């Protein structure tokens, strides 16, 4: 017996003008690579919090698939420790009932017979748990296993159809444009696009979703959101942590360009620059994102493409000495992987022509912060005497993604003195202080949407390929140049001095 995974409510009730509490139909979620950190630290704690909030049906079932020889009980104990450590809520009596729906299946990811045996096990669970043949598969593995898993799901007859089977693919989706296209072909041979959910956890953050609400639920911004009023846009995603023990993975992933710019920052750019969709539905939203990505390209500088890459040297973070990238554990000291990227991008359409988008991201920077800053143009005519205006700052709108989630608007105001004297002031909105509730973790929202069949916050095949096309010129340039233009910066700084040269026409990076 099969049934639709989606509940009786509309898959996206936000288009009706309100947020309804939605609960997916009973289903079995199989996690491939279930013995890894992602399952323990993110997925199971997120599912536990959803169950605590009564967003999952009592029949909901999890099957962990990995090579290690765990029993059901051993697997549950490992996950219990993860929930106790990483869940938003404290481990309580709910765990007893929640854990009864957790099972373990030992198997290899490249063994077709193991997948056929998995299919029989899932059928048994259907009868025991009342999950009605609904299937959800989550690939929490290294990217090299994505294709074998998909092919074996197809070979074992587990791909189902759009009514009862879905697949989540973690990032990175490909290593470059060609590999992304090849992986898309593998996916499309087995699954329909309506079944596929390419996940980017940044899109699950409340503050990232609020970009759409802020832009399209408030009429005052749209008249200003264009090249007539915006001088430039800065998107920053900065981390204080280094690669630590993830050096081999980070090197293989391609450093900051492939690990951050191609996905996280391109998603922020697309949400900031996209045209208003005709409806808040998955394909209408993603259509607009694809349009703006297809119009985006790397900007030009005096010496070609306007981009800088760098790697952190030793330095200080929070008063503690930290090693250079090449001295981190398990890092090959001869590898020239870039831990920092800054680049200028342009969007060739009517709305944004002539407005540069400056993107920067890096590890071991001075502060952990993610934000989008729109700097508006200067006033066309200065009404007040220059002596009273002093240093007149352009207006700036800042969307703070993390950690100080909120929105601020900078404008000029008269100081309370007898003369005309001005100063920049900020109007601030803070998520925590306004709503007084903790925001759900990104994986909670994404897992719930996945189980409900809402693809709005997941990337489509053409969207992934469009993002890879944007960064391909940089990949090709740096493959030719090897490490000849790799800069270095002190850990705890804001990156290499070369990055400031990208900011033309008197522009400057924001001080954060």
């Amino acid at each position: 017996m099969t049934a639709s995974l989606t509940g009786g409510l509309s898959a996206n009730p936000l288009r009706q003008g309100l947020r309804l509490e939605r609960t997916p139909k009973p289903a079995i979620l199989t996690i491939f690579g279930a013995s890894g950190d992602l399952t323990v630290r993110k997925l199971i704690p997120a599912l536990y919090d959803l169950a605590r909030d009564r967003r999952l049906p009592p029949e909901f079932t999890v099957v962990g698939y990995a090579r290690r020889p765990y029993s059901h009980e051993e697997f549950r104990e490992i996950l219990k420790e993860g929930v106790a450590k990483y869940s938003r809520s404290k481990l309580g009596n709910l765990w007893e009932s929640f854990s009864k729906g957790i099972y373990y299946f030992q198997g290899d990811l490249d063994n077709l017979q193991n997948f056929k045996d998995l299919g029989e096990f899932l059928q048994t669970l259907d009868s025991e748990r009342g999950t009605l043949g609904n299937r959800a598969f989550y690939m929490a593995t290294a990217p090299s296993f994505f294709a074998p898993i998909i092919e074996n799901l197809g070979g074992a007859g587990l791909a189902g159809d759009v009514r009862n089977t879905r697949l989540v693919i973690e990032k990175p989706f490909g290593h470059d444009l060609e590999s992304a296209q090849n992986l898309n072909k593998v996916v499309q041979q087995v699954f329909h696009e309506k079944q596929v959910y390419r996940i980017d956890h940044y899109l699950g953050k409340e503050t990232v979703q609020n970009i759409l609400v802020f832009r399209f639920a408030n009429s005052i911004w749209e008249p200003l959101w264009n090249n007539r009023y915006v001088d430039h846009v800065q998107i920053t995603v900065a981390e204080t942590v280094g690669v630590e023990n993830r050096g081999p993975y980070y090197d293989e992933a391609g450093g900051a360009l492939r690990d951050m710019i191609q996905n996280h920052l391109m998603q922020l750019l697309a949400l900031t620059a996209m045209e208003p969709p005709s409806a808040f539905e998955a394909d209408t939203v993603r259509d607009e994102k694809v349009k703006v990505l297809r119009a985006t390209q790397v900007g030009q500088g005096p010496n070609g493409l306007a981009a800088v890459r760098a790697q952190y040297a030793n330095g200080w973070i929070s008063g503690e000495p930290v090693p250079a990238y090449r001295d981190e554990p398990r890092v090959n000291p001869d590898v020239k992987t870039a831990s920092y990227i800054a680049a200028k991008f342009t969007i060739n359409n009517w709305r944004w022509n002539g407005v540069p988008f400056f993107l920067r991201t890096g590890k071991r920077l001075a502060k952990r912060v993610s934000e989008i800053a729109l700097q508006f143009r200067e006033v066309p005519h200065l009404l007040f005497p220059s002596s009273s205006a002093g240093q007149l700052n352009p207006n700036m709108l800042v969307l703070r993604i993390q950690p100080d989630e909120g929105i601020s608007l900078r404008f000029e105001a008269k100081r309370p003195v007898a003369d005309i004297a001005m100063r920049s002031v900020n109007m601030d909105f803070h998520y925590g202080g306004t709503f007084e509730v903790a925001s759900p973790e990104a994986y909670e929202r994404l897992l719930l949407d996945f189980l409900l069949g809402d693809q709005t916050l997941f990337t489509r095949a053409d969207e992934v390929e469009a993002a890879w096309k944007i960064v391909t010129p940089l990949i090709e340039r740096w493959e030719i140049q090897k490490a000849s233009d790799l800069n270095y910066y002190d850990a705890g700084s804001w990156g290499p001095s070369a990055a400031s040269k990208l900011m033309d026409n008197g522009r400057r990076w924001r001080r954060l």
Side-chain angles (χ1 to χ4, degrees), residues 86-364:
Y86 301 110
S87 168
R88 283 195 300 117
S89 56
K90 292 184 178 180
L91 189 65
N93 295 332
L94 174 64
W95 176 256
E96 183 177 353
S97 59
F98 179 76
S99 64
K100 288 179 180 178
I102 297 176
Y103 299 85
Y104 185 78
F105 188 92
Q106 182 184 1
D108 291 326
L109 298 173
D110 55 0
N111 187 311
L112 177 58
Q113 185 57 49
N114 288 165
F115 279 71
K116 292 179 179 179
D117 295 340
L118 171 67
E120 294 179 1
F121 180 61
L122 297 181
Q123 286 183 343
T124 301
L125 289 179
D126 274 334
S127 301
E128 295 178 359
R129 300 282 301 171
T131 47
L132 307 175
N134 294 320
R135 304 278 187 266
F137 298 104
Y138 198 115
M139 296 199 294
T141 68
S144 57
F145 290 110
F146 290 171
I149 292 172
I150 293 167
E151 290 168 346
N152 283 330
L153 286 172
L158 295 175
D161 57 41
V162 295
R163 297 177 299 113
N164 63 4
T165 306
R166 299 189 184 119
L167 174 73
V168 168
I169 306 176
E170 269 284 348
K171 81 172 189 71
F173 194 91
H175 189 72
D176 53 21
L177 176 59
E178 182 180 5
S179 60
Q181 290 172 331
N182 290 337
L183 183 55
N184 272 331
K185 291 177 182 176
V186 172
V187 172
Q188 290 159 2
Q189 287 172 354
V190 178
F191 291 93
H192 189 281
E193 182 65 28
K194 293 289 187 182
Q195 297 176 271
V196 182
Y197 296 71
R198 298 169 188 81
I199 195 168
D200 183 334
H201 74 270
Y202 247 63
L203 294 179
K205 295 180 182 293
E206 285 290 324
T207 43
V208 173
Q209 297 166 48
N210 190 51
I211 297 171
L212 293 174
V213 176
F214 180 78
R215 287 192 58 193
F216 304 131
N218 299 290
S219 62
I220 63 175
W221 302 116
E222 179 60 22
L224 308 177
W225 213 269
N226 53 59
N227 55 9
R228 184 177 178 183
Y229 295 101
V230 177
D231 177 79
H232 72 277
V233 179
Q234 296 184 32
I235 301 177
T236 300
V237 176
E239 300 176 278
T240 55
V241 297
V243 293
E244 298 168 332
N245 289 315
R246 297 174 65 248
Y249 165 80
Y250 193 71
D251 289 336
E252 182 181 354
L257 180 63
R258 289 179 165 101
D259 190 50
M260 296 295 292
I261 294 287
Q262 185 274 334
N263 42 70
H264 296 333
L265 277 81
M266 279 300 152
Q267 287 298 318
L268 296 180
L269 180 148
L271 291 171
T272 304
M274 63 185 278
E275 294 295 320
S278 59
F280 194 74
E281 297 174 343
D283 279 334
T284 54
V285 171
R286 296 190 295 181
D287 284 346
E288 298 303 334
K289 288 167 65 182
V290 171
K291 287 178 186 177
V292 78
L293 289 174
R294 286 174 175 167
T296 303
Q297 63 183 30
V298 183
Q300 292 293 318
N303 301 312
L305 297 177
V308 170
R309 60 175 175 163
Q311 186 184 98
Y312 62 83
N314 62 317
W316 296 78
I317 299 286
S318 301
E320 298 291 331
V322 294
Y325 181 94
R326 60 180 178 271
D327 296 327
E328 294 276 17
R330 302 174 64 206
V331 169
N332 181 349
D334 296 326
V335 169
K336 303 299 182 181
T337 302
S339 59
Y340 175 97
I341 298 289
K344 179 174 78 172
F345 295 88
T346 59
I347 301 176
N348 301 317
N349 62 17
W350 278 32
R351 182 184 292 267
W352 297 113
N353 186 50
V355 178
F357 281 66
F358 296 99
L359 277 56
R360 61 174 169 170
T361 184
K363 292 186 176 294
R364 291 291 191 211

Side-chain angles (χ1 to χ4, degrees), residues 446-464:
L446 293 173
L447 283 168
L448 181 60
D449 282 1
F450 161 59
L451 294 169
L452 286 163
D454 186 347
Q455 294 182 303
T456 305
L457 299 178
F458 298 83
T459 53
R460 207 167 55 193
D462 54 350
E463 187 177 345
V464 171

